[in-house]
């Protein structure tokens, strides 16, 4: 037998005993400790990369065609992700950089890409953002785009804001922030007119995969009689009707409204952490009041939002909203017994987490494990303060920069009744034999949840129904016959 | 094979006119680049006149993915007992986690790993390099997932650009752990599509896996391997039983629900049956050259092609298998006839246009035709010349062939040809559904499946009927 032949190993079968041992071991405290010790490996992260967020913003303006400078595979991944979540088309184009781009830079790709994209898809704006590749090789987007206009490949007056959105920095919420800031900066240049306000409210929804939320904000403004412009309004783009005609640009914030937004009466961001830099820019440049609100999950945060809007515009809270508040509170008092005292795990983006935790505390539930897979200490401090503000937050822990495999260990060693998060949490939920309540992004295994708001008083009722009824379903499906009852 | 009858209203001239009109709306340079990729089918022409495997034209909204997608998503991801590390920033691993439907057995996190393992590169990793991090994470992964049978390291764009050496890290860790650690330099910027990722992955299997293992049991005369079936929606589980029923022993599957050691021992089989020619022909050729293993393309979509394929497989073996083949064909005939009887009356004379990966457009044609549906246009995201050469004879004269079709082009083509069904991917799906055109995702079987084999045809027929004849389409046109 030669040495090479000797090196050939037999195909092995893992012994059943060994499988059983490991299967049990991964649920232990010992495993959890080892799991939390890792520093290099990330398993099942609960966040995506910057350009995804940039594409969401770029999609939210009327006639805008998101343009990805970099590898074509990235573009396909972003488009697929949005199409799976919304079950809608997700138009975006890309300049398909390959090896030669890596060597010579991506200017030629950008030139050709801009020219073709403009000719074929006739956009009103081409927001450009980057993938890893041009960021690593150091492409100068500013110069490239200027050169493209100089060469008359695209009209000189076509808005072409750009954002650097490397995936090795931040997450999708930071890409959202960078692209939005850049678009607003571009569109509002020289548009400021002192003392001539539009009287309108600018609303920035933040990275929110729930178009129902965006519509709820708009409905509230309408009820209050507040004229508004929603910036990066993806609601009609990522939730358009089927009427026999495909429209490449079915909606979004009008370019002129976005340009005028600099003269607004007030600007509010509904998400602090996905608009940090945008709000810095707005604070310096925009007219009127600027406010960063907490996402209006549950009653108290919705109250806060309404009071703020009322204060900013000197408008009273309309009867309709007072009635809706009472309905939400009615639903919550009626159903409190189904959530009170239950422990929950929550995973998601920072602003969503703050909102969901606030709602759970209002219901008398414990947001036991709160996990954000990429966040700052500032966020943790804010979350800790929120948990400390309620007796129901006692014993609850916020974990930052941990992933869903960490979450699995938490669920195995310190069980909870249910987990709230996006579809990616379904594996952890299944292993822990607890239900997953799908609130977040992306939701790629259920229909229509993205259409049903989770913010505002309406959203509170929706969340409550989803959670309470699921527990009741489980009871009906799993209880023994003698405990099966007509009423619950 | 007899040439297909021409399809009413479709001639070489009408198709060429449509192509010319579509191209006319593009800038000159793009026209010139795209023109060779579009053509009217000439069934007997060899080679097929349509050009392929060229760079994406920037800005045209291509549907293509990248080499990493071809490596991680297609070839490696389905191997169930390995840990597949998406080495680089977080995105690629997240987007490709669970989004291909390559189902697998095993206990997730214990004996199978349908998960996302990543080094989640940060700025400091770009600046200082990620080799040490990789080393560390491989150790951590092995400690936390001790029953893994090996790891693959799939590099993302930045890894190649900053000059990391995953090959030496993999070598070092393979020695340290005494387990397979396979490097795969599949950065997304390499090549023009997913296709290069397949090729690079095949090469990695050649260099690091095949021939490294042997089965404990003696090789048998009916040992075969299934190559290029990724078990989408359970396809392998529908195909394998048929092959076993005709008396063959499936020793390994590449790579759907696959086990890496069995893949590494495949060189002892008597025949390689290849399903997805595009992504795995390379390794079939390697095994043929090195170990004299013949390979045969087969097609298990729809009863006509299943029968054809089973007989061709039988020809590779003795009379016992040939007899079994006839027995199996006879056994399933009534069942298949009842499926056709149920659905064909509702589908006969309908037309469909297909745009999928590197295999399915041509392979599924037979299944559509079993149901009476004619294919008026077909094309591939990442096929090569040999794929198109295999497609031309399967399509009627004058039908439309499109390579790496852009959204702009496909929309125009569909608008003009008005098919009753479009079969393509998630990015295309809602564009056509908004226009009121029935659609099925043909990469993921639209969350259904399997579509392979006798079991699969029942589901395929049901799904296609459901798509075309859903009463929901009647609601699209509003009365006001």
């Amino acid at each position: 037998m030669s040495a090479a032949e000797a090196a050939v190993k037999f195909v092995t079968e893992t012994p059943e005993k060994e499988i059983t041992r490991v299967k049990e071991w991964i649920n232990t405290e010992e495993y959890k400790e080892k799991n939390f010790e890792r520093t290099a490996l990330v398993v099942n992260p609960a966040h995506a990369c910057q350009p995804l967020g940039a594409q969401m913003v770029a999609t939210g303006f009327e006639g805008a065609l998101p343009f990805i400078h970099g590898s074509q595979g990235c573009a396909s991944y972003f488009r697929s992700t949005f199409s799976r979540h919304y079950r809608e088309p997700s138009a975006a184009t890309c300049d398909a950089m390959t090896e030669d781009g890596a060597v010579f830079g991506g200017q030629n790709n950008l030139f050709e890409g801009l020219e073709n994209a403009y000719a074929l898809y006739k956009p009103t704006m081409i927001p450009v953002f980057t993938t890893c590749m041009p960021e690593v090789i150091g492409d100068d987007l500013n110069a490239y785009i200027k050169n493209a206009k100089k060469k008359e490949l695209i009209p000189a007056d076509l808005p072409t804001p750009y954002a650097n959105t490397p995936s090795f920095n931040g997450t999708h919420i930071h890409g959202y922030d960078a692209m939005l800031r850049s678009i607003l900066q571009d569109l509002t240049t020289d548009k400021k007119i002192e003392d001539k306000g539009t009287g309108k409210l600018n609303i920035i929804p933040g990275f929110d995969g729930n178009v129902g939320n965006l519509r709820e904000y708009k409905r509230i403004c309408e009820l209050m009689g507040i004229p508004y412009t929603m910036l990066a309004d993806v609601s009609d783009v990522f939730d358009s009707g089927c009427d026999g005609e495909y429209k490449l640009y079915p909606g979004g914030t009008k370019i002129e409204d976005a340009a005028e937004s600099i003269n607004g009466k007030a600007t509010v961001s509904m998400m602090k952490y996905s608009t940090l830099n945008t709000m810095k820019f707005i604070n310096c440049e925009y007219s009127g009041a600027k406010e960063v609100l907490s996402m209006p999950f549950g009653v108290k945060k919705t109250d806060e939002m309404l009071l703020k809007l009322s204060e900013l515009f000197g408008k009273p809270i309309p009867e309709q909203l007072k009635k809706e508040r009472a309905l939400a509170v009615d639903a919550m008092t009626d159903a409190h017994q189904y959530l009170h005292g239950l422990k929950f795990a929550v995973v998601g983006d920072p602003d969503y987490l703050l909102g969901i935790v606030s709602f759970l505390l209002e219901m008398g539930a414990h947001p036991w494990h709160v996990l954000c897979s990429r966040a700052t200490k500032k966020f943790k401090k804010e979350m800790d303060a929120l948990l400390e503000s309620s007796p129901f937050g006692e014993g609850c822990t916020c974990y930052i920069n941990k992933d869903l495999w960490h979450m699995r260990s938490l669920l195995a060693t310190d069980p909870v009744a249910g987990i709230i998060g996006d579809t990616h949490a379904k594996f952890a939920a299944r292993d822990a034999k607890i239900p997953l309540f799908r609130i977040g992004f992306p939701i790629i295994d259920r229909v229509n949840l993205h259409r049903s708001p989770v913010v505002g008083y309406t959203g509170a009722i929706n969340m409550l129904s989803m959670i309470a009824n699921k527990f009741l379903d489980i009871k009906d499906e799993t209880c023994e016959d003698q405990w099966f009852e007509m009423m619950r | 094979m007899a040439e297909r009858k021409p399809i009413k209203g479709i001639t070489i001239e009408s198709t060429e006119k449509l192509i010319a009109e579509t191209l006319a709306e593009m800038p000159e340079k793009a026209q010139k680049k795209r023109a060779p990729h579009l053509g009217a089918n000439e069934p007997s022409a060899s080679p097929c006149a349509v050009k392929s495997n060229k760079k994406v034209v920037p800005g045209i909204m291509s549907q293509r993915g990248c080499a990493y997608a071809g490596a991680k998503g297609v070839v490696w991801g389905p191997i169930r007992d390995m840990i597949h590390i998406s080495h680089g920033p977080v995105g690629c691993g997240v987007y490709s986690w669970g989004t291909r439907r390559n189902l697998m057995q095993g206990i997730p996190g214990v004996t199978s790993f349908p998960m996302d393992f990543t080094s989640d590169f940060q700025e400091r990793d770009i600046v200082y390099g990620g080799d040490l991090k990789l080393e560390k994470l491989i150790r951590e992964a092995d400690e936390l997932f001790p029953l893994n049978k090996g790891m693959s390291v799939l590099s993302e764009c930045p890894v190649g650009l900053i000059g990391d050496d995953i090959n030496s890290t993999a070598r070092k860790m393979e020695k340290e752990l005494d387990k397979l650690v396979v490097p795969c330099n599949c950065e997304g910027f390499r090549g023009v599509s997913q296709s290069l990722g397949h090729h690079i992955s095949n090469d990695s299997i050649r260099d690091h896996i095949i021939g490294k293992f042997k089965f404990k049991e003696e090789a048998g005369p009916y040992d075969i391997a299934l190559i290029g079936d990724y078990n989408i929606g359970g396809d392998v589980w529908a195909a394998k039983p048929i092959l076993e029923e005709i008396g063959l022993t499936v020793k390994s599957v590449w790579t759907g629900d696959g086990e890496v050691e069995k893949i590494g021992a495949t060189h002892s089989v008597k025949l390689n049956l290849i399903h997805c020619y595009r992504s795995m022909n390379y390794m079939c050729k390697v095994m043929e050259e090195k170990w004299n293993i013949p390979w045969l393309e087969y097609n298990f979509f729809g009863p006509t092609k299943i029968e054809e394929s089973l007989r061709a497989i039988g020809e590779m073996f003795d009379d016992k298998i040939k007899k079994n083949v006839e027995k199996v064909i006879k056994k399933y005939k009534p069942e298949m006839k009842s499926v056709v009887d149920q659905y064909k009356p509702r589908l006969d004379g309908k037309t469909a246009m297909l745009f999928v990966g590197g295999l399915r457009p041509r392979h599924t044609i037979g299944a559509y035709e079993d149901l009476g549906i004619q294919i008026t246009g077909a094309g591939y995201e990442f096929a090569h010349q040999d794929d198109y050469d295999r497609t031309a004879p399967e399509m009627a004269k004058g039908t439309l062939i499109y390579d790496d079709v852009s959204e702009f082009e496909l929309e125009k083509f569909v608008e003009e040809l008005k098919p009753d069904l479009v079969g393509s991917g998630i990015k295309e799906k809602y564009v056509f559904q908004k226009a009121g055109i029935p659609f099925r995702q043909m990469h993921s079987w639209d969350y259904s499946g399997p579509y392979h084999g006798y079991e699969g045809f029942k589901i395929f027929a049901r799904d296609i009927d459901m798509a075309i004849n859903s009463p929901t389409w009647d609601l699209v046109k509003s009365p006001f």
Side-chain angles (χ1 to χ4, degrees):
Chain A
M1 195 185 278
S2 73
E5 277 166 355
V8 176
K9 296 178 182 173
F10 278 116
V11 171
T12 55
E13 290 286 337
T14 307
E16 277 304 319
K17 228 174 110 185
E18 192 56 5
I19 295 173
T20 311
R21 183 188 70 80
V22 175
K23 197 176 148 188
E24 283 163 9
W25 179 56
I26 63 170
N27 292 330
T28 60
E29 193 66 41
E30 180 203 330
Y31 186 87
K32 183 188 110 183
E33 275 167 32
K34 260 194 197 321
N35 191 13
F36 273 75
E37 274 165 20
R38 66 185 146 93
T39 57
L41 174 68
V42 170
V43 187
N44 298 353
H47 64 275
C49 64
Q50 282 211 59
L52 183 84
Q55 183 165 324
M56 180 187 272
V57 170
T59 302
F61 291 85
E62 198 174 63
L65 181 65
F67 187 103
I68 296 134
H69 176 54
S71 301
Q72 73 208 20
C74 307
S76 281
Y77 278 143
F78 312 145
R79 294 179 62 207
S80 301
T81 302
F82 286 124
S83 283
R84 289 182 179 121
H85 172 79
Y86 294 109
R87 299 183 194 247
E88 290 287 327
S90 172
T93 193
C94 162
D95 59 11
M97 282 173 71
T98 51
E99 280 109 330
D100 49 349
V103 178
F104 302 112
Q107 178 160 258
N108 287 335
N109 293 72
L110 189 82
F111 280 178
E112 208 180 331
L114 287 174
E115 185 186 13
N116 287 333
Y118 184 74
L120 290 179
Y121 302 107
K122 302 174 184 66
T124 54
M125 169 163 78
I126 303 186
V128 182
F129 50 98
T130 53
T131 73
C132 294
M133 188 186 177
E135 290 296 333
V136 173
I137 62 175
D139 271 3
D140 182 355
L141 273 182
N142 187 30
Y144 290 2
I145 295 172
K146 270 191 192 146
N147 293 343
K149 289 188 171 175
K150 231 183 268 166
K151 285 174 72 101
E152 296 178 7
L153 300 170
I154 47 172
D157 60 352
L158 180 77
T160 47
Y162 72 89
N164 295 99
T165 49
S167 306
F168 45 82
N169 201 334
T171 73
H172 51 284
I173 67 169
H174 303 102
Y176 181 98
D177 197 8
M179 189 77 249
L180 182 56
R181 180 188 167 124
S182 166
I183 290 177
L184 295 181
Q185 216 162 349
D186 185 297
L187 295 180
T188 59
T189 302
D190 300 331
K191 299 286 178 189
K192 192 160 183 178
I193 306 167
E194 292 300 337
D195 307 322
K196 189 183 173 270
T198 60
K200 282 164 92 176
L201 168 69
N202 300 314
I203 315 169
I204 301 174
F207 187 99
D208 194 340
N210 188 319
V211 290
N213 286 351
L214 273 54
R215 288 180 175 146
E216 184 63 8
Y217 297 144
K218 293 196 274 190
R219 191 182 70 93
I220 287 170
C221 287
E222 280 153 22
L223 285 171
M224 291 186 76
I226 297 174
Y228 64 87
T229 295
M230 180 170 278
L231 297 168
D233 181 4
V234 296
S235 59
D236 288 341
V237 189
F238 280 148
D239 188 21
S240 68
C242 176
D243 61 3
E245 189 199 341
Y246 165 63
K247 298 172 198 75
L248 177 57
Y249 305 115
T253 311
K254 290 192 182 346
I255 302 289
E256 57 272 26
D257 289 349
E260 276 281 301
S261 68
I262 195 165
N263 301 313
K265 186 175 162 94
T267 302
V268 297
S269 166
M270 295 295 177
M271 278 198 203
K272 178 174 168 183
Y273 292 94
S274 67
T275 61
L276 288 170
N277 284 315
T278 303
M279 288 313 285
K280 267 186 206 157
F281 164 74
I282 285 175
N283 280 331
C284 291
E285 302 295 330
Y286 271 42
S287 301
K290 295 99 181 177
E291 295 286 344
V292 176
L293 303 179
S294 300
M295 270 190 96
F297 273 90
V299 170
K300 284 186 209 155
K301 301 235 170 186
T302 306
D303 292 349
E304 277 172 28
M305 176 187 73
L306 295 184
L307 288 169
K308 185 51 80 180
L309 293 180
S310 165
E311 178 198 318
L312 290 171
F313 283 79
K315 301 259 187 189
I317 310 283
E319 282 311 308
Q320 172 67 20
L321 286 172
K322 285 183 189 164
K323 199 171 145 191
E324 287 182 19
R325 183 187 193 279
L327 288 174
V329 174
D330 188 56
M332 289 163 79
T333 49
D334 288 350
H336 72 272
Q337 60 180 0
Y338 305 110
L339 266 73
H340 190 103
L342 293 185
K343 290 177 181 173
F344 286 85
V346 198
V347 58
D349 295 340
D351 297 287
Y352 253 73
L353 286 174
L354 289 163
I356 295 167
V357 165
S358 172
F359 169 73
L360 289 174
L361 293 172
E362 276 179 357
M363 287 305 303
H366 308 289
W368 202 246
H369 309 301
V370 180
L371 185 143
C372 188
S373 90
R374 189 62 69 212
T376 55
K377 286 194 183 118
K378 243 185 189 161
F379 162 77
K380 184 168 158 51
K381 241 172 126 181
E382 193 177 348
M383 180 58 81
D384 286 342
L386 177 62
L387 291 170
E388 275 163 28
S389 72
S390 159
F392 296 95
E394 206 186 312
C396 303
T397 314
C398 170
Y399 302 88
I400 59 167
N401 303 328
K402 297 292 174 224
D403 54 46
L404 286 162
W405 194 253
H406 291 116
M407 178 57 96
R408 191 194 180 285
S409 278
L410 293 173
L411 298 178
T413 54
D414 190 358
V416 297
I419 177 168
I420 301 176
D422 70 86
T423 290
H424 290 106
K426 75 189 288 183
F427 294 90
R430 183 177 162 90
D431 284 356
K433 300 187 174 62
I434 54 172
L436 166 65
F437 302 103
R438 288 164 176 79
I439 300 175
F441 179 92
I443 299 169
I444 52 179
D445 61 341
R446 292 293 184 272
V447 296
N448 290 334
L449 291 179
H450 66 282
R451 289 182 166 127
S452 169
V454 288
V455 298
Y457 302 129
T458 321
I461 299 176
N462 287 341
M463 279 190 295
L464 178 59
S465 311
M466 166 162 55
I467 296 171
N469 287 337
K470 180 71 190 177
F471 285 128
L472 295 174
D473 283 343
I474 291 172
K475 202 168 195 175
D476 276 346
E477 285 158 12
T478 58
C479 72
E480 290 171 16
D481 284 348
Q482 72 268 32
W483 298 107
F484 187 72
E485 298 180 63
M486 188 62 80
M487 295 183 291
R488 291 288 185 202
Chain B
M1 195 170 49
E3 203 172 285
R4 276 155 180 78
K5 279 191 206 122
I7 297 172
K8 213 179 138 207
I10 295 180
T11 61
I12 294 213
E13 295 71 36
S14 70
T15 296
E16 280 173 353
K17 187 169 160 255
L18 172 60
I19 293 170
E21 284 166 2
T22 306
L23 287 170
E25 293 184 47
M26 294 184 185
E28 205 175 319
K29 197 169 160 195
Q31 269 188 45
K32 232 170 124 184
K33 282 191 179 177
R34 287 298 304 153
H37 296 265
L38 309 168
N41 189 44
E42 190 59 85
S44 56
S46 182
C48 173
V50 168
K51 289 274 172 295
S52 53
N53 199 30
K54 296 275 182 268
K55 274 186 201 170
V56 164
V57 179
I60 63 155
M61 220 187 294
S62 158
Q63 313 289 7
R64 275 184 178 171
C66 62
Y68 165 88
K72 198 261 184 172
V74 177
V75 177
W76 292 98
I79 303 179
R80 71 177 194 226
D81 53 5
M82 284 183 99
I83 287 172
H84 307 293
I85 300 161
S86 294
H87 187 40
V90 71
C92 316
V94 168
Y95 306 127
S96 58
W97 172 22
T99 49
R100 185 158 177 256
R101 304 199 66 235
N102 47 263
L103 306 182
M104 57 179 72
Q105 304 177 76
I107 305 166
V110 179
T111 57
S112 68
F113 307 97
M115 299 148 68
D116 175 17
F117 296 85
T118 176
S119 42
D120 189 11
F121 261 34
Q122 299 300 305
E123 204 136 342
R124 61 177 177 275
D125 301 311
I126 302 290
V127 177
Y128 299 111
D131 286 340
L132 286 176
K133 188 178 200 179
L134 177 61
E135 201 178 303
K136 192 154 194 284
L137 86 81
I138 289 174
R139 257 182 230 120
E140 289 175 351
D142 195 50
E143 197 185 355
L144 289 169
F145 305 94
L147 301 186
N148 78 80
K149 295 278 181 84
M151 299 186 206
S152 65
V153 180
L154 310 165
S155 46
E156 302 168 6
C157 288
V159 172
L161 295 170
I162 61 174
D164 270 11
D165 185 1
I166 63 163
N167 298 288
S168 73
T169 306
R171 207 158 37 237
K172 179 179 171 190
M173 294 315 293
E174 184 162 270
K175 213 164 161 197
E176 184 181 312
L177 301 179
D178 192 25
K179 270 181 184 173
L180 287 172
V181 179
V182 184
C184 185
N185 300 92
C186 55
E187 286 85 353
F189 60 81
R190 294 188 196 279
V192 302
S193 70
Q194 291 94 314
S195 183
L196 189 65
H198 308 146
H199 199 153
I200 294 169
S201 301
N202 276 239
D203 289 351
S204 303
I205 293 175
R206 179 195 65 201
D207 295 343
H208 297 272
I209 297 178
I210 187 79
K212 296 276 169 70
F213 294 89
K214 58 186 170 194
F215 294 105
K216 274 189 186 135
E217 59 279 9
E218 285 291 311
Y222 304 122
D223 287 357
I224 61 156
L226 275 191
I227 310 289
D229 188 337
Y230 301 106
N231 201 32
I232 306 305
D235 277 345
V236 166
W237 302 329
K240 218 168 127 180
I242 303 173
L243 296 164
E244 286 165 351
E245 221 177 327
I246 62 168
L248 303 177
T249 312
V250 180
K251 300 293 285 184
S252 66
V253 182
W254 298 40
T255 54
D257 193 25
E259 295 155 274
V260 69
E261 294 178 352
K262 292 182 182 174
I263 289 171
T266 301
H267 55 291
S268 66
V269 302
K270 297 290 176 291
L271 174 69
N272 278 321
L273 283 180
I274 182 164
H275 173 69
C276 180
Y277 171 85
R278 179 67 275 128
S279 59
M280 284 222 158
N281 74 82
Y282 317 100
M283 274 309 292
C284 284
K285 288 169 186 166
V286 166
M287 286 187 268
E288 183 178 40
E289 268 169 40
K290 202 164 170 194
W291 289 287
N292 277 322
I293 304 171
W295 53 278
L296 181 72
E297 289 175 66
Y298 73 104
N299 179 353
F300 273 4
F301 289 110
T304 306
K305 290 292 173 185
I306 297 175
E307 287 174 17
E308 241 175 58
S309 288
L310 283 178
R311 290 197 170 107
I313 294 166
E315 287 302 316
M316 306 294 283
F317 293 95
D318 56 18
D319 283 349
K320 181 185 141 193
I321 302 292
K322 283 191 194 98
K323 249 188 230 157
N324 287 345
V325 162
E326 293 309 319
K327 249 194 267 174
V328 165
I329 289 175
K330 201 174 157 200
K331 176 180 158 192
Y332 288 100
K333 241 193 169 112
E335 208 178 338
M336 291 299 102
K337 186 177 176 299
S338 81
V339 173
V340 170
D341 287 348
Q342 184 181 352
Y343 295 108
K344 196 169 174 178
R346 291 204 289 272
L347 297 171
D348 205 20
K350 305 275 186 199
T351 60
M353 288 173 73
L354 306 174
F355 180 67
V356 206
L359 155 95
R360 284 173 176 167
R362 68 171 175 275
H363 258 202
T364 55
I365 290 173
Y368 286 103
E369 289 178 341
D370 283 337
L371 296 170
I373 300 170
Q374 290 175 304
I375 306 300
T376 51
Y380 302 89
E381 260 183 41
F382 48 79
H384 297 205
Q385 184 72 52
D386 43 5
D387 298 296
Y388 284 99
D389 291 345
R390 286 164 164 77
T391 309
E394 304 286 339
M395 306 266 300
K397 193 171 182 157
T399 50
L400 190 54
I401 309 267
Y402 31 78
D403 175 64
D404 181 25
V405 74
S406 67
E407 180 159 317
F408 176 81
E409 294 155 353
L410 192 58
E411 241 193 281
K412 297 263 171 211
F413 295 157
V414 169
E415 208 180 292
E416 179 67 25
L417 293 179
K418 297 185 178 54
D420 298 292
L421 177 86
V422 177
S424 189
I426 183 72
K427 300 188 288 298
E428 297 90 330
K429 180 178 174 83
Y430 302 104
V431 168
F432 295 109
Q433 289 195 172
K434 293 284 177 210
I437 297 163
F439 188 101
R440 287 296 296 184
Q441 289 183 64
M442 282 290 144
H443 298 264
S444 69
W445 301 151
D446 228 319
Y447 321 129
S448 176
Y451 282 176
H452 280 182
Y454 292 117
E455 279 310 303
F457 182 65
K458 293 187 221 167
I459 298 166
F460 174 80
R462 179 202 67 191
D463 288 355
I464 298 303
D465 172 54
M466 173 160 79
I468 293 180
N469 292 315
S470 163
T472 56
W473 300 118
D474 301 335
L475 307 170
V476 173
K477 218 171 152 41
S478 161
F480 45 81

